[in-house]
C-alpha cells in the first residue's frame, strides 16, 4: 500500500515536489492499543526515526509515534541543504563560546555530515545528493567577514573547502547579478529530504523499532518511576522518553514549547530551466546573507527549488506560488514569468540563539529540537547521539546539552506576536 502523490498534509500547506518525485511512500499503522518499551519516542522526523533505528539496532525496545504521516513535518519538506558547521559561522560562535567549544561544535557538525551520507549509502537510500553550496552576500558591507570566513575555516578549523568568490565569479556561478560576493563550499551539498525520510523509516522498522503514524500524543505524565504517554488509542509506558517534535511541539510539553518556536517557511519548484543554462550552472545550493534567509538550488532534473519567507506575510499565504515567484524574480528577473509547478510550506523550529535545544525536561524525558534551519544534518545526528547516550556510547550530545538556550520572552500568549515583530524588523533591515 502506498501513499498517493496527492496526499495533502493537514499540518502544512501545499503539495511538495518532493512528494511528487519520492517514489513509493509506504503507509505505516496507527497505534492499536497500549504498549510498553524501554524507550518511547514522540515525533517521526529525522531525530525520532534515527534514534529509533539506532536504539533498536542496539537491542533496546522502542516505540515511536508520529501525529501525522512520516514526512509531513519539516524532515520531509525542507530545503535539503546540508550546510557546514552550526547555524552561525564558527568565528561568530567563538565570540560567545570561545575557540575550544566552537571547534568542538564545528567538528561535531562535520561528523554529522559524514554520518548522514554514510548512513544513506550503507542502507541503499538514494537521496539525490548533489555537491556544492554557496553563501552569498546581498550587502557590500559584509565583504571583510566573508573573506575572513574562508580564511578562518582553513587556518583554525581544519576545513579547506571554503573559498571566497569575488563579484565576477559570484555572478557567473549564480547566473545573477543580485549578489556582490560569496563563499563557495565544495565540502558539502544538498539532497532530496523526503527520500531520506522514507528510507529512514524503512530501516528503523527493519531494525525492530515499533513505529506508528497518525498517532498523536495527548499528554505526558509520570508514575511509579515510569513515563506514560497518553494517546487516543492507548497508553505507552517507558523507562525513557525522547520528545522529537521540533516546530510541531504545540502545547504537549511546556518547557520545550517555551524554547522552540515554529516559524513558517515556503518553497516553490519551477518547471525545468532548460532555456536558462546560465542559472546555477554548477548545481550548487545557495543561501543568502539575509537574517530571514532565502535558500535555493537546482534539482537533478533542472528545476529551481526556491525557499524563503517574508516575515510580514500570513503563516499560510493564500497563494504560495505568487509569494515565492516575487522572490525568484528579485534574484532572477528573467524568471519573472516562469511556471511554478509545486509550492508548499511548513514549520521549522527555531530557538532564541539559533542553536539546538537539548534538555531533560522531566526525569528520564529528553527533548531535542530547534535546529533553526540547519536540521538536515543536525536532526539526524542528534537522533543518533541520543541513542548513543542511552546505549552508553558517545557523549557528544553533551555539547548541545551544555548550551545556554533561553526561553522566548512573553510566555505562551505573547511569544508568537513578539516573534512576528522581531522577524518583521529583521526583514525590513535585510531589505533597507
Amino acid at each position: 500500500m502506498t501513499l498517493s502523490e496527492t496526499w495533502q498534509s493537514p499540518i502544512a500547506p501545499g503539495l511538495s515536489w518532493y512528494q511528487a518525485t519520492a517514489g513509493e511512500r509506504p503507509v505505516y499503522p496507527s497505534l492499536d492499543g497500549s504498549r510498553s518499551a524501554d524507550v518511547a519516542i514522540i515525533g517521526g522526523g529525522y531525530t525520532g526515526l534515527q534514534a529509533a533505528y539506532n536504539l533498536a539496532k542496539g537491542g533496546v525496545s522502542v516505540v515511536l509515534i508520529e501525529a501525522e504521516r512520516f514526512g509531513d513535518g519539516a524532515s520531509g519538506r525542507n530545503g535539503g541543504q546540508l550546510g557546514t558547521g552550526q547555524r552561525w559561522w564558527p568565528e561568530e560562535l567563538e565570540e560567545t563560546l570561545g575557540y575550544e567549544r566552537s571547534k568542538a561544535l564545528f567538528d561535531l557538525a562535520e561528523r554529522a555530515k559524514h554520518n548522514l551520507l554514510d548512513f544513506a549509502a550503507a542502507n541503499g537510500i538514494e537521496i539525490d545528493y548533489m555537491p556544492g553550496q554557496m553563501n552569498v552576500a546581498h550587502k557590500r558591507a559584509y565583504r571583510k567577514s566573508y573573506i575572513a570566513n574562508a580564511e578562518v575555516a582553513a587556518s583554525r578549523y581544519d576545513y579547506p573547502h571554503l573559498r571566497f568568490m569575488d563579484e565576477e565569479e559570484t555572478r557567473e556561478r549564480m547566473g545573477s547579478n543580485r549578489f556582490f560576493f560569496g563563499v563557495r563550499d565544495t565540502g558539502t551539498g544538498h539532497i532530496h529530504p523526503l527520500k531520506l525520510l522514507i528510507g529512514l523509516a524503512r530501516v528503523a522498522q527493519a531494525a525492530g523499532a515499533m513505529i506508528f503514524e497518525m498517532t498523536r500524543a495527548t499528554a505526558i505524565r509520570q508514575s511509579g518511576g515510569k513515563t506514560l504517554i497518553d494517546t487516543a488509542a492507548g497508553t505507552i509506558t517507558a523507562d525513557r522518553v525522547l520528545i522529537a517534535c521540533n516546530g510541531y511541539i504545540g502545547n504537549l510539553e511546556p518547557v520545550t514549547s517555551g524554547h522552540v518556536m515554529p516559524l513558517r517557511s515556503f518553497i516553490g519548484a519551477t518547471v525545468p530551466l532548460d532555456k536558462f543554462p546560465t542559472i546555477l550552472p554548477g548545481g550548487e545550493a545557495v543561501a543568502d546573507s539575509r537574517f530571514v534567509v532565502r535558500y535555493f538550488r537546482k534539482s537533478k532534473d533542472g528545476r529551481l527549488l526556491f525557499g524563503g519567507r517574508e516575515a510580514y506575510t500570513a503563516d499560510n499565504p493564500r497563494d504560495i506560488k505568487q509569494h515565492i515567484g516575487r522572490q525568484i524574480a528579485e534574484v532572477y528577473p528573467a524568471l519573472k514569468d516562469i511556471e511554478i509547478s509545486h509550492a508548499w510550506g511548513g514549520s521549522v523550529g527555531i530557538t532564541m540563539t539559533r542553536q539546538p535545544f537539548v534538555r531533560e525536561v522531566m526525569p528520564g524525558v529528553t527533548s531535542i529540537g530547534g535546529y533553526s534551519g540547519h536540521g538536515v544534518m543536525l536532526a539526524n545526528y542528534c537522533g543518533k547521539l541520543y541513542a548513543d547516550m542511552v546505549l552508553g556510547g558517545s557523549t557528544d550530545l553533551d555539547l548541545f546539552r551544555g548550551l545556554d538556550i533561553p526561553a522566548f520572552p512573553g510566555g505562551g500568549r505573547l511569544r508568537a506576536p513578539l516573534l512576528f515583530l522581531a522577524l518583521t524588523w529583521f526583514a525590513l533591515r535585510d531589505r533597507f
Side-chain angles (χ1 to χ4, degrees), residues 9-341:
S9 166
I11 60 172
L15 296 173
S16 77
W17 174 81
Y18 300 138
Q19 185 168 308
T21 58
E24 182 179 350
R25 188 179 175 192
V27 173
Y28 292 86
S30 300
L31 186 69
D32 57 358
S34 295
R35 294 282 197 283
S36 296
D38 297 326
V39 179
I41 299 173
I42 307 172
Y46 291 147
T47 303
L49 285 169
Q50 277 286 0
Y53 162 69
N54 283 281
L55 287 168
K57 188 175 66 169
V60 173
S61 65
V62 55
V63 173
L64 178 149
I65 57 173
E66 162 59 40
E68 307 296 340
R69 297 287 191 188
F70 295 135
D72 279 0
S75 294
R77 299 171 72 86
N78 62 73
Q81 299 192 31
L82 300 188
T84 289
Q86 303 292 327
R87 176 61 175 78
W88 299 113
W89 285 352
E91 58 268 36
E92 294 174 312
L93 283 181
E94 275 192 52
E95 295 177 6
T96 55
L97 301 180
Y99 171 74
E100 184 176 343
R101 292 184 71 192
S102 177
K103 178 66 162 61
L105 286 166
F106 185 90
D107 291 345
L108 181 151
E110 278 300 286
R111 292 193 292 275
K113 182 191 300 180
H114 294 297
N115 180 262
L116 186 155
L117 297 176
D118 291 346
F119 168 82
N123 290 283
I125 304 172
E126 176 50 65
I127 58 175
D128 293 355
Y129 178 76
M130 296 176 65
Q133 185 189 43
M134 297 184 288
N135 287 289
V136 294
H138 77 296
K139 291 185 178 182
R140 292 187 186 275
Y142 299 155
R143 184 180 181 86
K144 287 184 179 179
S145 64
Y146 271 65
I147 293 173
N149 178 238
E151 294 175 347
V152 167
S155 64
R156 293 174 58 78
Y157 288 83
D158 304 317
Y159 190 79
H161 308 294
L162 297 185
R163 187 174 57 78
F164 178 76
M165 303 184 299
D166 62 18
E167 187 167 357
E168 180 180 358
E169 182 180 358
T170 300
R171 184 170 59 249
E172 290 177 356
R173 291 192 180 278
M174 290 287 296
S176 169
N177 59 9
R178 179 64 182 83
F179 301 98
F180 298 109
F181 41 82
V183 172
R184 182 169 181 246
D185 187 347
T186 57
T188 192
H190 48 106
I191 68 168
H192 190 302
L194 185 55
K195 286 186 177 182
L196 174 61
L197 190 284
I198 291 170
L200 177 52
R202 171 180 57 81
V203 170
Q205 185 183 60
M210 294 176 283
I211 62 176
F212 301 97
E213 295 182 315
M214 304 301 289
T215 305
R216 182 176 299 276
T218 57
I220 305 171
R221 53 195 173 90
Q222 295 191 308
S223 177
K226 301 281 189 177
T227 300
L228 289 79
I229 302 169
D230 293 327
T231 79
T235 298
I236 302 168
T237 303
D239 298 318
R240 293 175 180 261
V241 170
L242 169 62
I243 300 173
C245 302
N246 202 22
Y248 292 94
I249 183 64
N251 296 318
L252 178 63
E253 197 289 304
V255 176
T256 306
S257 63
H259 289 79
V260 179
M261 175 76 74
L263 175 66
R264 284 302 210 197
S265 191
F266 308 96
I267 304 177
T270 71
V271 296
L273 301 182
D274 299 333
K275 298 179 180 179
F276 302 94
T278 61
I279 293 179
L280 298 177
E284 299 95 341
V286 181
D288 74 5
S289 58
R290 295 170 180 265
F291 185 88
V292 185
V293 177
R294 293 181 181 176
Y295 51 95
F296 46 99
R297 61 194 181 95
K298 284 172 76 174
S299 62
K300 276 199 167 182
D301 66 350
R303 300 170 186 267
L304 182 67
L305 308 182
F306 194 105
R309 171 194 167 101
E310 294 293 347
Y312 30 76
T313 60
D315 271 356
N316 292 321
R318 292 181 181 178
D319 189 344
I320 299 175
K321 291 183 179 181
Q322 181 180 4
H323 165 84
I324 291 295
R326 286 196 299 267
Q327 296 185 27
I328 291 175
E330 287 182 24
V331 177
Y332 296 110
L335 300 183
K336 64 181 180 66
D337 296 320
I338 194 74
E339 178 186 350
I340 297 177
S341 60

